[in-house]
């Protein structure tokens, strides 16, 4: 199951609280769960570091969205009269007084009172370097740890009941147009390309056009054309998926307006034969080039096909056939064995894939295989 954004955030911060209940502030926590403009400053106040972001930056605007995180943090820090993160942690949720009580500090101490005063005075500039001088480094650090723990409790209480993180706000299914993706052609909105955290989806340069697809059958030891049809591609380019980069997180499916998932139904390319063979339940292609021949391995609906091109001759095999023919004149050169008629549709598709990923005018991951 794939989860990101606000539902993940509220689960993540609850986990932080459970961890801190057990271990206190002894271990730094690197946090990455549904961070966005709204909650970045909230989580900075828990003393989490580093805070990392993925899903939100995959939305429209990309990395430029992150500037709004810092604007919001600056606004909050300015309004609290602080200019460093530790002081922001002290003041963000108003928990410093409680923390002072929790760590049993002598309330008659002048330095403690000076610190308390700076907490309460609006407009006073609290600086952690000054707090360390006033209270001493050890007390200042203990106090900071205690405030982080209290802030965690406060924030988790708030976020857990906040509508933004609740079921109702997060139960709308992704918007879909009601059509199922196919190997070729789609709305070509390109959303699946930038939203992939692994950069596994790419534009596959197969130009639009019509390809005649022949079907051959053997009768009385002779091959005949049984049928002709047309494979028509309408879009300017196609969408491909590089299987070796894809961890099947499903994010591209969320953003794709069509059903089925680009990473499942669009042409999937494997980086080597081992990976093609290992993922035998996945349809896809592996293209191999060496000095002697070009080879295309493919799986369609779970059935394996292979194509070997040596000069003008082509060997083409599938689940129940193994044939050979000249590329330019299959009708008059075809030979081999077949248990039934042989459609050249998958052959034409394999040729298209080979041409697209070996096309030197466009660069894709698969071009480097
Ligand atoms: S499912 Fe694969 S291609 Fe789609 S976003 Fe996740 S990693 Fe990328
Ligand atoms: S596969 Fe889906 S998201 Fe990708 S270009 Fe086609 S319609 Fe858009």
């Amino acid at each position: 199951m794939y989860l990101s954004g606000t539902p993940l955030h509220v689960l993540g911060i609850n986990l932080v609280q459970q961890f801190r209940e057990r271990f206190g502030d002894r271990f730094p926590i690197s946090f990455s769960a549904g961070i966005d403009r709204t909650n970045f400053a909230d989580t900075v106040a828990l003393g989490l570091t580093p805070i990392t972001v993925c899903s939100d930056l995959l939305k429209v605007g990309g990395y430029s969205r992150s500037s709004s995180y810092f604007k919001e943090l600056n606004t909050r820090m300015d309004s609290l009269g602080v200019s460093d993160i530790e002081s922001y942690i002290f003041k963000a949720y108003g928990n410093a007084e409680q923390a002072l009580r929790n760590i049993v500090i002598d309330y008659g101490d002048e330095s403690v009172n000076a610190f308390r005063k700076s907490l309460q005075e609006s407009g006073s500039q609290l600086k952690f370097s000054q707090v360390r001088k006033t209270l001493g480094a050890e007390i200042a650090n203990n106090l900071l740890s205690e405030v982080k723990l209290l802030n965690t409790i406060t924030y988790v209480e708030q976020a857990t009941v906040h509508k933004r993180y609740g079921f109702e706000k997060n139960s709308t299914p992704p918007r879909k147009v009601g059509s199922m993706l196919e190997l070729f052609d789609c709305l070509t909105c390109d959303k699946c390309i930038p939203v992939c955290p692994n950069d596994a989806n790419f534009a596959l340069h197969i130009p639009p056009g019509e390809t005649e697809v022949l079907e051959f059958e053997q009768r009385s030891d002779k091959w005949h054309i049984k049928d002709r049809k047309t494979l028509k591609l309408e879009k300017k380019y196609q969408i491909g998926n590089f299987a070796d980069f894809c961890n099947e997180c499903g994010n591209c499916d969320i953003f794709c307006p069509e059903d089925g998932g680009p990473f499942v139904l669009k042409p999937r390319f494997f980086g080597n034969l081992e990976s093609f063979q290992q993922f035998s339940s996945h349809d896809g292609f592996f293209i191999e080039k060496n000095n002697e021949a070009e080879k295309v391995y493919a799986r369609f609906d779970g059935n394996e096909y292979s194509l070997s091109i040596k000069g003008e001759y082509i060997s083409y095999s599938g689940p129940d056939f193994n044939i050979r023919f000249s590329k330019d004149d299959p009708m008059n050169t075809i030979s081999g064995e077949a248990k039934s008629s042989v459609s050249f549709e998958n052959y034409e598709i394999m040729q298209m894939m080979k041409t697209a990923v070996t096309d030197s005018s466009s660069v894709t991951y698969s071009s480097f295989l």
Side-chain angles (χ1 to χ4, degrees), residues 181 186-192 239 252 255-258 262 266:
L181 288 174
C186 58
L187 293 179
T188 322
C189 65
D190 289 353
K191 283 184 184 165
C192 56
I239 299 294
C252 55
F255 284 84
C256 177
E258 300 200 50
K266 287 296 167 191

Side-chain angles (χ1 to χ4, degrees), residues 189-201:
C189 65
D190 289 353
K191 283 184 184 165
C192 56
I193 298 176
V195 300
C196 175
N198 301 327
D199 228 359
N201 292 326

Side-chain angles (χ1 to χ4, degrees), residues 1-3 54 58 195-201 241-253 263-264 268-269 279 282:
M1 188 181 111
Y2 178 77
L3 187 67
C54 182
L58 294 169
V195 300
C196 175
N198 301 327
D199 228 359
N201 292 326
N241 169 272
F242 189 52
D244 296 21
F245 284 3
C246 173
N247 59 6
E248 305 192 358
C249 71
N251 200 37
C252 55
D253 186 20
F263 71 107
V264 179
R268 178 192 279 128
F269 295 89
F279 294 95
H282 291 40

